[in-house]
Amino acid sequence: MDRILVLLRHGESEWNAKNLFTGWKNPDLSPKGVEEARRAGRELKRIDLRFNIGFTSLLLRAQHTLDLTFQELGQRDVPVIRSRALNERHYGDLSGLNKDEARQQWGEEQVRLWRRSYDVAPPGGESLKDTVARVLPFYCQEILPRAMRGERVLVAAHGNSLRALAMVLDRLTPESVSSLEIATGVPIVYRLNSDSTVATKEVLDR
């Protein structure tokens, strides 16, 4: 039995293109991001993957990515579950700020800590640890059971909510996840064993 779970970070957003901290702010995809989402669909079609269900966040850039991917696959009628649990981490007071300007205001090292450490949160925002605390219960209760019973699952979400999932799937430590980069619009195809560990992992980068 196939147990297939695909993770897909949304295509480039309008704020990614402007180098802004986004978090729970809600910009749409940039033109480049639209093409990245369509390309993701074509890559999944190339390896003949079709899906039974999609999961995404409450944020437009991830929802739009999922919709465009399914369009390219010719699967416009796949059921989709949207959840706040899959939202990007909340960047608090950094939301909407230019990343270079934030470095000038708080210093390179402080901003690096906020962006890449596991348990240091920006003012008014979430750390990756906080994000993991809401993503993993949703994964265990909603996503994993479907994959384990043979449904093919596509999750279109965000850099940090997907890093939270990668901690479980790739068995990453809080130290090793800090260096993990997930590219926009590049599907990561996991095939799972019967005990829910990863049998194979394939990154469909072009």
Side-chain angles (χ1 to χ4, degrees):
M1 179 175 65
D2 282 339
R3 302 177 191 89
I4 293 176
L5 171 62
V6 177
L7 305 185
L8 176 61
R9 184 181 175 191
H10 63 78
E12 181 191 74
S13 75
E14 294 164 339
W15 281 24
N16 291 144
K18 295 175 181 176
N19 200 32
L20 304 179
F21 284 102
T22 310
W24 285 23
K25 300 294 186 180
N26 207 18
D28 201 352
L29 298 177
S30 69
K32 178 184 176 184
V34 169
E35 178 50 35
E36 285 178 336
R38 292 192 183 282
R39 189 183 298 121
R42 292 194 293 270
E43 286 297 305
L44 291 165
K45 190 171 186 178
R46 179 179 61 79
I47 64 170
D48 203 27
L49 266 188
R50 296 179 66 78
F51 294 92
N52 302 103
I53 192 165
F55 287 90
T56 190
S57 72
L58 298 186
L59 300 171
L60 181 60
R61 58 195 184 273
Q63 294 177 6
H64 197 180
T65 295
L66 189 65
D67 289 345
L68 290 169
T69 302
F70 280 147
Q71 283 179 28
E72 288 294 325
L73 287 164
Q75 287 198 274
R76 295 172 183 263
D77 57 348
V78 176
V80 172
I81 295 175
R82 299 175 179 87
S83 174
R84 188 185 306 274
L86 294 174
N87 277 13
E88 178 59 290
R89 65 181 281 207
H90 199 306
Y91 273 111
D93 292 352
L94 299 183
S95 300
L97 293 184
N98 180 280
K99 293 174 184 176
D100 293 330
E101 292 173 356
R103 292 185 186 99
Q104 291 170 12
Q105 182 172 345
W106 285 290
E108 181 81 34
E109 179 59 21
Q110 183 61 66
V111 173
R112 188 196 68 78
L113 265 178
W114 285 332
R115 292 191 68 201
R116 289 300 170 208
S117 70
Y118 182 65
D119 56 4
V120 179
E126 293 179 304
S127 65
L128 179 57
K129 183 178 180 180
D130 297 327
T131 309
V132 168
R134 60 175 162 81
V135 171
L136 290 194
F138 185 78
Y139 171 72
C140 292
Q141 294 161 16
E142 300 292 339
I143 298 174
L144 183 60
R146 287 173 168 83
M148 293 306 294
R149 62 177 177 249
E151 294 184 37
R152 294 181 172 193
V153 179
L154 175 58
V155 180
H158 306 266
N160 284 291
S161 51
L162 294 180
R163 286 169 78 209
L165 292 178
M167 285 191 73
V168 175
L169 291 162
D170 298 329
R171 299 188 171 188
L172 302 178
T173 65
E175 293 73 30
S176 61
V177 75
S178 66
S179 61
L180 176 66
E181 294 283 354
I182 298 177
T184 55
V186 177
I188 307 169
V189 181
Y190 291 91
R191 289 176 168 82
L192 305 181
N193 295 310
S194 59
D195 63 356
S196 80
T197 59
V198 174
T200 65
K201 174 185 177 182
E202 182 181 6
V203 179
L204 302 183
D205 50 0
R206 46 263 174 198

